[in-house]
Structure formats: C-alpha cells, structure tokens
C-alpha cells in the first residue's frame, strides 16, 4: 500500500505504514499501542515455518504465538483465513489452492449475477442515492445524473426490490467507513467494499444489510488483495456475528449477547450490576456498539485488528472448518485428550474441559465486561444516569490495551464459570 500520510513507529518498525492515515486526520485517530514483539508476535518467518512440506499447518504452534503477541501486519490476511475457519490446517497446499479457486469462481459468478441486475456492481463505482422507488417503479430520469444508473422498468420481484432498495444505504456507509485511512481515498477501493457488502446482502436476504457490517468487512478488503478472498474472509467472520445483525420490528439479535453480558456482570460484580439496574441500564444497551462492530470505535485500526485476532485465536476450535463445510460430519468430541485440547484456543478450551460443546458465550462479552470493570469505581461514584455511563465509557477510546483487555476477560470468564458451577 502506498503511504500518503502520518505513520506511527512502534517497536523499531513502522507498523502503521501498513495502514497509513491521512495527515489531516491524525489528531482525531486513537493512538496505536500494538507493537511487534520479537519472540512473541507471529512473524512471516515463523508463520511459513509452521507448515510442513506439503502444507499441513501446526495450528497449536500458531495459536500460541498469536495469543502471546498477535500477528505481524504483513501476514494478517492469510492467517485470518485459518483463524476464521476458512481453511482446514490439516489440508495440503494443493487442496487449499483447489478450494480457493473454486470459491473465487463462485464469488465472481455471484458478482456477475448481481451485475446483470445492477450494472454498477464491479464497475469501480457505487451508489449513495436510490436507484428505484420503494414501490418498485423507476425514478425520474433526472436522477440519473447523480447515480450513473437507474432502474428502467418496474421491479416486481420482491427479493430483487428489497436488495436494490438497500444499495444506497450501503453506499452511504461505505463513504463513512475508515475514511481517515489513505486506502479509502481511492474510489475503486470504496467500490470493492460496496461490491462485497452488496453481494453478501443479495445472498443473505434473511439478514440483509445492517449498519456495522461495513466496519467488519473493511479490514478484509485492506488485508486481502483478491476481492473474492476478502469476501470469503468476511463471510466467515459473519458466521460468528450474523445473529447480532438479525433484526425484527421488535428486537435486535445483539440483545442475546447483551443478556449474556448482564448475566456475567450480575454474577461477578453484583454491586455494579445493581447500580446499572438502578440507572435503568440493566439491559446494557450502551454496549451495543462494542459488540456489533467488535470495538472498532474504541481502538485504533491496527489495535482493533490485534484485538480481533487475539479473540479469534482464544476462541479457536479445530472443528470450525468442518462445521462450515461438512456440518453433518462434525465431531466435537475431544474428550480430555491433552494433545487435542492444545489445538483449541485458551477460551474455548475452558468450555471443552467442562464438557460444554454446545453454543456458549463469546469472548467479546467478557471483553466488554473487562472494560466495565476497569471503569467500576467511576461508574459507581460518578454515574447518576445513563448519559453519565455513556460518557464514562466514551472516554476509553484510545486508552485501552487490547492484550490487557483480553487477559482480564479470561480472568472474568474463569470467575464466572466458577460461580456458575457453584450454583449448580
């Protein structure tokens, strides 16, 4: 990536050079804390050394490195593909190349399908204004100057209309996404983000598009050069997060995680929970953004990526790939075999040891809990209403350490499991 602005220096290496910030935005961007640490951070050399000659990956070794010091920016994208369950570590180079080529063909086929409906898809352009009226009728021809393209004939297919109506909202969000990064000064890069989000929305009408998906997808576009690879990385991330984005007229999917958060705080810090209840904050709605976009607003770009990979490594389950590709053949039983347990992340391992293979709390819930605990004294002393809670938590941007937040989250998780088990 070509640098066009200010870069932070960290640990003797210009890490921010991988994600340069526009010079006029430097003052408004949270400072980066992540440092590449020799002997701890997963480097390109250590990553390549973790593969056998035919391509089998020593995932235990890789997870250990990531959990100690994150991933070097030069290899983040390819490591994420494994962390998110995109590839089986037990596969060979040849097997993965075949799968990658198959997925690329699949993606570009879907892209062509979308382009046949809206020619702007794949054109390097995107829309921020409606291309069709809400009743499916064409808009006035005068609007075409703002868009470059408009629907010419009435749209009667309900799914097609639903998709077309959301394209302008995706475009508006794309314009706002990580706009402080030099990468998005290029309209073609913004268009790639719009393309992926538009295609994902077409393929997933049950979820559709919800604001915040852009924040999850953006790093994939930056880290992976091929648009199809970025799409599949995003699709795997959304497998974990999609229920958060599921909305109805009366509920939001993220409420499930908010309920989990409420239970965690009530268990580990009943005094704080009661205080929040007294302030009418017992539903923890102030934490929606943290859970929806995984702390993208609370950390700098590089630090948020570091937090994500720490969480994903700690949550890693070696059955993840099979559960996505061959769910009918999935075998979750690892028993207490120490050798097999080492292939799980620290967080996931706790549940496996307790014999809990079913759906359970995500680490993100405990990271939010750790953030609340760091502000425990201020919240108890100064928060007289929900506005105060929001203001106190708003002050954490740029002041959080991702590694410490995960470390504290694991401690809270341990405490929660012990107290929960004692009640049984």
């Amino acid at each position: 990536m070509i640098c066009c602005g200010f870069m932070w220096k960290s640990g003797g290496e210009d890490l921010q050079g991988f994600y340069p910030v526009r010079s006029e935005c430097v003052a408004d961007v949270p400072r980066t804390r992540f440092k590449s640490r020799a002997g701890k951070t997963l480097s390109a050399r250590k990553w390549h050394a973790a593969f056998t000659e035919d391509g089998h990956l020593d995932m235990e070794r890789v997870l250990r490195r990531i959990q100690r010091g994150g991933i070097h920016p030069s290899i983040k994208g390819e490591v994420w593909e494994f962390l998110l369950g995109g590839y089986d570590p037990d596969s060979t180079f040849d097997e993965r190349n075949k799968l990658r080529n198959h997925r690329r063909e699949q993606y570009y086929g879907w892209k062509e399908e979308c382009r046949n409906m809206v020619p702007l898809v794949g054109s390097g352009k995107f829309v921020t204004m409606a291309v069709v009226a809400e009743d499916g009728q064409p808009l006035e021809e005068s609007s075409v100057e703002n868009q470059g393209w408009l629907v010419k004939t009435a749209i009667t297919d309900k799914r097609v209309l639903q998709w077309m109506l959301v394209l302008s909202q995706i475009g508006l969000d794309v314009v706002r996404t990580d706009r402080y990064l030099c990468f998005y000064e290029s309209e073609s890069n913004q268009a790639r983000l719009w393309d992926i989000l538009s295609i994902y929305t077409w393929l997933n009408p049950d979820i559709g598009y919800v604001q915040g998906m852009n924040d999850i997808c953006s790093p994939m576009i930056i880290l992976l050069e091929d648009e199809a690879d970025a799409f599949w990385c995003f699709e795997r991330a959304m497998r974990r997060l999609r229920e958060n984005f599921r909305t109805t007229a009366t509920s939001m999917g993220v409420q499930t995680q908010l309920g989990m958060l409420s239970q965690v705080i009530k268990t580990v810090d009943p005094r704080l929970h009661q205080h929040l209840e007294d302030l009418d904050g017992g539903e923890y709605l102030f934490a929606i953004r943290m859970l929806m976009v995984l702390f993208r607003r609370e950390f700098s770009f590089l630090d948020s990526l570091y937090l994500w990979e720490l969480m994903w490594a700690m949550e890693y389950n070696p059955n993840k790939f099979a559960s996505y590709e061959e769910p009918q053949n999935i075998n979750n039983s690892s028993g207490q075999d120490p050798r097999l347990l080492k292939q799980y992340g620290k967080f996931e391992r706790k549940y496996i040891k307790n014999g809990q293979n079913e759906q359970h709390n995500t680490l993100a819930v405990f990271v939010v809990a750790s953030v609340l605990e760091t502000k425990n004294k201020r919240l108890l002393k100064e928060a007289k209403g929900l506005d105060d809670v929001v203001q106190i938590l708003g002050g954490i941007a740029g002041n959080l350490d991702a590694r410490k937040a995960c470390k504290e989250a694991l401690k809270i998780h341990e405490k929660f499991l012990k107290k929960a088990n004692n009640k049984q």
Side-chain angles (χ1 to χ4, degrees), residues 40-48 65 70-72 74-75:
K40 293 189 176 181
T41 300
L42 180 65
S43 64
R45 184 175 65 84
K46 287 290 184 183
W47 168 245
H48 296 306
R65 276 275 175 168
I71 305 168
H72 192 275
S74 62
I75 53 169

Side-chain angles (χ1 to χ4, degrees), residues 237-248:
M238 285 300 296
R239 295 272 187 132
R240 295 164 167 262
L241 298 166
R242 59 184 280 126
E243 292 309 312
N244 278 358
F245 291 98
R246 190 184 294 278
T247 58
T248 68

Side-chain angles (χ1 to χ4, degrees), residues 193-223:
L193 178 57
W194 184 77
D195 284 347
I196 288 180
L197 290 170
S198 299
I199 294 165
Y200 181 85
T201 302
W202 170 248
L203 296 172
N204 295 273
D206 60 320
I207 295 288
Y209 172 77
V210 179
Q211 194 173 59
M213 291 181 179
N214 52 310
D215 293 297
I216 303 299
C217 186
S218 172
M220 318 311 185
I221 299 281
I222 295 171
L223 296 178

Side-chain angles (χ1 to χ4, degrees), residues 271-378:
R271 188 179 172 210
L272 177 59
H273 177 76
Q274 187 58 55
H275 182 61
L276 293 171
E277 283 259 289
D278 294 342
L279 299 177
D280 288 331
E283 293 183 349
Y284 290 78
L285 296 177
F286 51 80
I288 284 179
R289 190 179 71 184
M290 292 187 213
L291 291 170
M292 289 282 280
V293 299
L294 294 182
F295 305 91
R296 283 296 314 274
R297 303 289 188 278
E298 285 69 36
F299 291 89
S300 70
F301 184 79
L302 183 52
D303 282 347
S304 62
L305 306 195
Y306 176 39
L307 176 68
W308 288 8
E309 63 207 22
L310 282 180
M311 291 196 295
W312 293 338
M314 290 176 180
E315 291 178 318
Y316 185 76
N317 185 319
N319 296 309
K320 191 65 74 179
F321 172 81
S323 72
Y324 294 155
E325 299 293 323
E326 301 168 343
Q328 69 279 5
N329 297 326
I330 187 65
N331 177 15
N332 275 318
S333 60
S334 64
Q336 298 295 321
D337 186 331
R339 185 183 60 84
L340 290 174
L341 280 173
K342 287 181 180 178
Q343 296 174 23
Y344 290 79
K346 288 180 185 177
F347 179 78
E348 190 70 14
R349 202 179 304 152
K350 290 285 183 186
Y351 283 107
I352 299 298
K353 282 182 176 178
N354 283 350
Q356 298 178 22
N357 293 329
E358 72 281 357
Q359 188 71 26
H360 52 68
N361 289 341
T362 65
L363 183 54
V365 168
F366 293 93
V367 174
V368 175
S370 77
V371 170
L372 291 174
E373 286 299 284
T374 63
K375 297 298 179 182
N376 173 298
K377 290 180 180 177
R378 280 196 67 194

